[in-house]
Amino acid sequence: NTNIFNDDCGVGLRVMARCKGSPFSVCCYNFFPSPLFAELVPSIMSNMLNPDAIFSNNEMSLSDIEIYGFDYDYTLVFYSKHLHTLIFNAARDLLINEHRYPAEIRKYDYDPNFAIRGLHYDVHRALLMKIDAFHYIQLGTVYRGLSVVPDEEVIAMYDGSHVPLEQMSDFYGKSSQGNTMKQFMDIFSLPEMTLLSCVNEYFLKNNIDYEPVHLYKDVKDSIRDVHIKGIMYRAIEADIEKYICYAEQTRAVLAKLADHGKKMFLITNSPSSFVDKGMRFIVGKDWRDLFDVVIVQADKPNFFNDKRRPFRKVNERGVLLWDKIHKLQKGQIYKQGNLYEFLKLTGWRGSKVLYFGDHIYSDLADLTLKHGWRTGAIIPELRSEIKIMNTEKYIQTMTWLQTLTGLLEHMQVHRDPDSQMILEEWKKERKEMREMNRNFFNAQFGSLFRTDENPTYFLRRLSRFADIYMASLSCLLNYEPDYTFYPRRTPLQHELPGWSDQLCTGTFRIPFLQETVQVK
């Protein structure tokens, strides 16, 4: 049998099993020496991560960066929780009023705790799910409407849990050209995922026959219209203190860069008057003095690929001028344009440029792959996840989960019935611990960055397209302008032993059953 014990020295795991040769012989070993276990959790907690740190995927020195570029939404400006409720309610009303959906869907309110960024949506099956870096669905995170789909049903639908490459979304996360999966990478997509799930739930609960593809398109169009019809922009401008968070120290970051002689530019998809009012609120009426170039309604990611659209100057009243643009002047606002013309007019090329954005695809991918710019991803969820990871309860859970994994790996060679019974108990407990770990972050989908053991598809893209990432621009205030970011050397599977192996070797060595001491 196996049991967890707690003595004066701490917590440990005691395994009891019959030894060969005598029915009265018993093997007894504390698989995780209790004093060491008691010391391990405090040791980990003494080296907790800083939620305001900047993390590096690629070595980069700020001393090489001469020009800093920024997106606007969720990069220079952060929004309160009220904004997603506004988007959800406005899109829901558009579904009812313009797409003739049942008025009863108004009973569904926005739940900020339902979805996380980076999820995939199967357009044809109307399923929302989390997929890892290897295209495997994380079982237990597949939702039809607001209800989880049983694992066996998921496995039957997908012939396992793997999603083939040809079914995945395109480069920008869109479902197109016959692909059935749409990936939601934008922070603004959180209300879209929730609205999709709520309307699906209503149809399912009321036994209404519907076409999932039509529902997906109607919800997508309604969310889009909240933006392009100006519903969101007008609401924020009318009550700017309700929707915009002032505490991200944007002005301090920009002022620090300006004081060190750095050039700065802004490229955003948002309209001119909206950006102006927001920047006046968070930075001040002189905000344009800090930027060498300001470009609005850029239509990213097309801005980075379409060479045909020229820039247009916007005057103080927001009127578009017809002048041919020969130079991008400081203090002016420009609309549309394209990156190729931008590079020609500014000469800002290569690794001396660092651009920050929150959308890994439309903000960062083309810049790092095609143009050689350095990129910084703003991931607001990072701060809250690190705070959870720093809690003693989380550290204890993860320590025990890794211990169980190490035990399973090393003890699976024993095929006798007693050993197999113990192994099955450990597998069951490991599954329960994984579910507990997921619930630390989000009850439905877990962490933004991990499935059970593997990185998420979101993290895979983040690692590829962002040199550095952080919770907000305010993290830059903790670093000098010549600071060099060095990525941690994470051991490959064939290199140094992993963390769980350290529990089973050396100081924490867990012996095989044949190495235990026989007691008569």
Side-chain angles (χ1 to χ4, degrees):
N1 61 70
T2 176
N3 66 289
I4 301 172
F5 68 90
N6 197 323
D7 58 23
D8 293 338
C9 297
V11 181
L13 178 69
R14 178 178 289 123
V15 175
M16 308 286 290
R18 278 194 191 90
C19 290
K20 295 179 180 179
S22 168
F24 304 107
S25 298
V26 173
C27 296
C28 176
Y29 191 83
N30 295 344
F31 268 78
F32 205 113
S34 51
L36 293 172
F37 186 88
E39 295 171 3
L40 184 59
V41 171
S43 174
I44 296 172
M45 293 194 68
S46 67
N47 294 286
M48 293 187 295
L49 291 171
N50 180 2
D52 295 315
I54 295 176
F55 302 92
S56 173
N57 293 319
N58 192 16
E59 185 173 327
M60 184 184 74
S61 176
L62 293 181
S63 62
D64 296 330
I65 305 301
E66 301 174 11
I67 305 113
Y68 285 76
F70 306 92
D71 181 32
Y72 177 68
D73 296 299
Y74 287 107
T75 300
L76 289 173
V77 61
F78 279 70
Y79 296 102
S80 71
K81 60 183 180 180
H82 302 292
L83 181 60
H84 287 175
T85 300
L86 165 71
I87 295 171
F88 179 92
N89 291 342
R92 182 192 59 194
D93 291 344
L94 287 172
L95 279 179
I96 295 169
N97 298 330
E98 297 189 9
H99 296 273
R100 300 294 182 254
Y101 277 67
E104 288 82 1
I105 66 174
R106 278 204 178 92
K107 71 179 182 181
Y108 292 99
D109 295 319
Y110 178 63
D111 179 3
N113 299 313
F114 175 70
I116 63 172
R117 200 154 48 120
L119 299 178
H120 282 78
Y121 183 77
D122 190 323
V123 174
H124 293 284
R125 294 187 175 102
L127 298 176
L128 188 65
M129 68 190 72
K130 187 177 179 183
I131 295 179
D132 73 10
F134 300 95
H135 294 196
Y136 281 91
I137 301 167
Q138 183 178 8
L139 297 177
T141 69
V142 180
Y143 276 75
R144 180 186 289 117
L146 301 174
S147 302
V148 67
V149 180
D151 293 350
E152 54 271 18
E153 186 177 343
V154 175
I155 291 170
M157 279 190 290
Y158 290 94
D159 230 1
S161 60
H162 184 263
V163 180
L165 178 63
E166 60 268 18
Q167 294 181 24
M168 300 294 283
S169 55
D170 67 12
F171 185 76
Y172 294 106
K174 298 177 181 178
S175 176
S176 60
Q177 298 180 354
N179 297 323
T180 61
M181 291 286 186
K182 150 75 180 179
Q183 189 182 18
F184 292 101
M185 296 293 276
D186 193 352
I187 299 177
F188 283 126
S189 67
L190 292 172
E192 182 177 357
M193 286 185 275
T194 307
L195 184 58
L196 267 171
S197 299
C198 288
V199 181
N200 273 315
E201 180 77 5
Y202 173 80
F203 286 155
L204 293 168
K205 291 285 187 183
N206 292 276
N207 297 314
I208 297 173
D209 190 26
Y210 70 104
E211 173 52 62
V213 176
H214 296 332
L215 172 60
Y216 167 73
K217 183 178 184 304
D218 291 342
V219 171
K220 180 180 72 172
D221 290 347
S222 296
I223 292 287
R224 179 203 61 199
D225 287 347
V226 172
H227 293 264
I228 67 173
K229 290 185 176 181
I231 298 172
M232 183 189 80
Y233 300 131
R234 289 192 296 272
I236 294 174
E237 289 180 35
D239 197 351
I240 203 163
E241 293 186 4
K242 177 180 178 180
Y243 292 108
I244 291 184
C245 299
Y246 186 69
E248 289 300 330
Q249 297 178 286
T250 298
R251 182 177 180 87
V253 173
L254 299 177
K256 178 180 178 180
L257 295 176
D259 289 344
H260 285 86
K262 306 297 182 181
K263 295 184 181 297
M264 288 180 282
F265 64 93
L266 170 63
I267 302 177
T268 175
N269 289 349
S270 294
S272 175
S273 62
F274 176 73
V275 173
D276 183 58
K277 289 185 178 181
M279 291 297 284
R280 283 173 178 265
F281 178 70
I282 62 174
V283 176
K285 63 181 182 180
D286 60 341
W287 70 271
R288 275 191 278 172
D289 295 340
L290 294 169
F291 290 90
D292 294 89
V293 179
V294 176
I295 300 166
V296 299
Q297 292 179 273
D299 191 29
K300 294 176 293 183
N302 292 331
F303 180 86
F304 300 127
N305 298 292
D306 190 345
K307 300 180 180 181
R308 297 169 296 178
R309 299 185 316 156
F311 286 106
R312 296 194 72 172
K313 188 183 294 185
V314 183
N315 70 11
E316 294 295 333
R317 298 188 301 277
V319 177
L320 289 173
L321 304 180
W322 47 262
D323 309 54
K324 183 175 177 62
I325 307 300
H326 296 281
K327 182 180 180 181
L328 298 177
Q329 297 176 321
K330 187 170 184 175
Q332 299 294 327
I333 294 180
Y334 300 90
K335 180 182 176 181
Q336 299 175 351
N338 65 82
L339 185 64
Y340 298 91
E341 189 70 11
F342 177 89
L343 297 176
K344 179 181 177 181
L345 295 173
T346 63
W348 295 344
R349 299 176 181 275
S351 58
K352 65 182 179 181
V353 184
L354 172 59
Y355 185 79
F356 292 94
D358 69 289
H359 198 302
I360 297 170
Y361 293 153
S362 64
D363 282 330
L364 308 180
D366 286 312
L367 293 177
T368 188
L369 292 178
K370 299 179 181 179
H371 302 287
W373 285 11
R374 309 311 291 265
T375 52
I378 305 299
I379 313 293
E381 301 95 334
L382 185 64
R383 184 174 281 124
S384 59
E385 289 217 7
I386 289 177
K387 288 180 179 179
I388 291 169
M389 292 163 59
N390 283 341
T391 62
E392 184 173 4
K393 188 174 182 181
Y394 176 84
I395 292 171
Q396 287 178 338
T397 302
M398 283 303 301
T399 302
W400 191 245
L401 178 59
Q402 293 296 85
T403 302
L404 283 173
T405 303
L407 286 168
L408 282 166
E409 181 179 3
H410 285 78
M411 304 305 294
Q412 62 185 326
V413 296
H414 300 285
R415 314 305 302 173
D416 60 278
D418 287 341
S419 297
Q420 288 298 304
M421 180 186 69
I422 293 172
L423 289 170
E424 288 304 314
E425 288 296 319
W426 285 346
K427 288 178 183 178
K428 180 181 176 181
E429 183 175 357
R430 183 171 180 256
K431 182 178 179 182
E432 293 172 354
M433 297 296 285
R434 281 177 157 186
E435 292 175 358
M436 185 185 302
N437 180 57
R438 184 179 71 204
N439 290 337
F440 279 116
F441 301 98
N442 176 281
Q444 291 73 233
F445 303 102
S447 168
L448 176 65
F449 304 100
R450 274 201 181 275
T451 54
D452 288 324
E453 296 293 334
N454 294 333
T456 58
Y457 197 87
F458 176 91
L459 183 61
R460 178 184 182 181
R461 295 302 200 182
L462 173 65
S463 301
R464 179 65 185 90
F465 300 142
D467 291 291
I468 56 175
Y469 62 100
M470 66 209 77
S472 73
L473 283 177
S474 61
C475 299
L476 282 170
L477 296 173
N478 300 322
Y479 299 84
E480 293 300 320
D482 59 352
Y483 187 89
T484 298
F485 295 99
Y486 297 98
R488 298 176 185 174
R489 183 180 174 87
T490 305
L492 301 175
Q493 294 298 313
H494 63 276
E495 292 183 329
L496 295 174
W499 190 87
S500 60
D501 290 333
Q502 295 297 325
L503 302 176
C504 306
T505 57
T507 306
F508 296 101
R509 192 165 192 272
I510 299 174
F512 293 115
L513 282 180
Q514 62 264 31
E515 297 172 356
T516 57
V517 179
Q518 292 191 3
V519 180
K520 297 244 180 147

